[in-house]
Amino acid sequence: MSQATSKRLSFLLLCTLLLVGPAQGKSPLPAPSGEVVLTVSGEVGLTNVDDEAHLDSDMLAALPRERLTTHTSVTDGPQTFEGFLARDLLDALHAEGERVTAMALNDYLAEIPVADFERYDVLLADTMNGERLTRRDKGPLWIVYPRDDHDELQDIRYDYRWVWQLYRLEVE
Ligand SMILES: Nc1nc2c(c(=O)[nH]1)N[C@H]1C(S)=C(S)[C@@H](COP(=O)(O)O)O[C@H]1N2
Ligand SMILES: [Mo]
């Protein structure tokens, strides 16, 4: 099987898993065919490498796309982000836990209650103002809260959860 064919196939498999949803029970996640962007470990129902979910950009692109415009604590003026909801990712992987530890390429980490993702449309953004976030600048993924929509999110207690250069989530 050519690489393009197997890439296409794993993409279709993931779409099927996402569409069929949790009712179907545990099914193996297809192996990533491209560079791994995000790894989810811990209490995840669907895994593909040992007991972790290793996700490439095609697999992440299969999640419903969301857009969010908000101020941030590190930029001037509102910015428009695109990506997928943290909630949709955890649902798609059948991940169940109380909190996630979000880990960044620069060794920063933050603990985030999963309740945040249920209460708010928290985005795992891969673009800002139409430009893909690169590892040099806040990429591959940036956790973005809908700060402008909820007064309580405009608070230092939430700012530290906006992990940029996100590459790993541990669900506990
Ligand atoms: N990858 C990464 N994400 C991060 C941080 C960091 O050092 N590295 N700092 C956090 C903290 S403590 C805050 S308050 C916000 C804003 O950080 P800044 O104001 O220091 O730029 O980003 C958060 N996300
Ligand atoms: Mo901070």
Side-chain angles (χ1 to χ4, degrees):
M1 188 162 33
S2 77
Q3 224 196 327
T5 311
S6 81
K7 196 170 179 180
R8 182 91 195 122
L9 202 63
S10 58
F11 175 67
L12 289 173
L13 270 169
L14 183 74
C15 292
T16 309
L17 290 175
L18 293 173
L19 289 172
V20 170
Q24 203 64 16
K26 287 193 184 189
S27 323
L29 199 62
S33 51
E35 193 193 341
V36 174
V37 176
L38 179 68
T39 296
V40 187
S41 62
E43 299 298 315
V44 267
L46 295 187
T47 58
N48 55 4
V49 179
D50 300 324
D51 50 3
E52 301 181 336
H54 290 211
L55 306 168
D56 63 23
S57 53
D58 282 355
M59 296 163 96
L60 294 175
L63 290 163
R65 298 293 291 171
E66 290 282 331
R67 181 177 294 181
L68 167 63
T69 299
T70 183
H71 286 81
T72 85
S73 70
V74 296
T75 56
D76 287 328
Q79 313 290 325
T80 296
F81 295 94
E82 266 182 46
F84 51 88
L85 295 180
R87 174 171 69 236
D88 287 344
L89 172 75
L90 295 184
D91 285 352
L93 295 176
H94 305 183
E96 283 177 32
E98 297 285 305
R99 59 185 171 272
V100 302
T101 304
M103 296 174 228
L105 295 171
N106 68 344
D107 288 337
Y108 179 82
L109 56 84
E111 258 195 25
I112 302 176
V114 168
D116 278 13
F117 305 148
E118 284 146 18
R119 198 169 295 146
Y120 307 110
D121 291 341
V122 178
L123 201 66
L124 269 60
D126 53 31
T127 78
M128 184 171 83
N129 306 322
E131 305 255 356
R132 188 155 289 266
L133 294 168
T134 65
R135 286 173 169 76
R136 282 190 178 183
D137 183 27
K138 309 285 196 270
L141 295 167
W142 187 359
I143 298 178
V144 173
Y145 278 71
R147 184 179 226 272
D148 292 1
D149 297 339
H150 305 272
D151 290 345
E152 69 271 22
L153 294 181
Q154 292 155 34
D155 189 286
I156 188 127
R157 279 180 306 141
Y158 286 96
D159 286 344
Y160 77 92
R161 299 175 190 177
W162 289 55
V163 178
W164 62 77
Q165 290 188 321
L166 174 75
Y167 80 103
R168 190 176 184 93
L169 291 172
E170 163 97 19
V171 184
E172 291 169 287

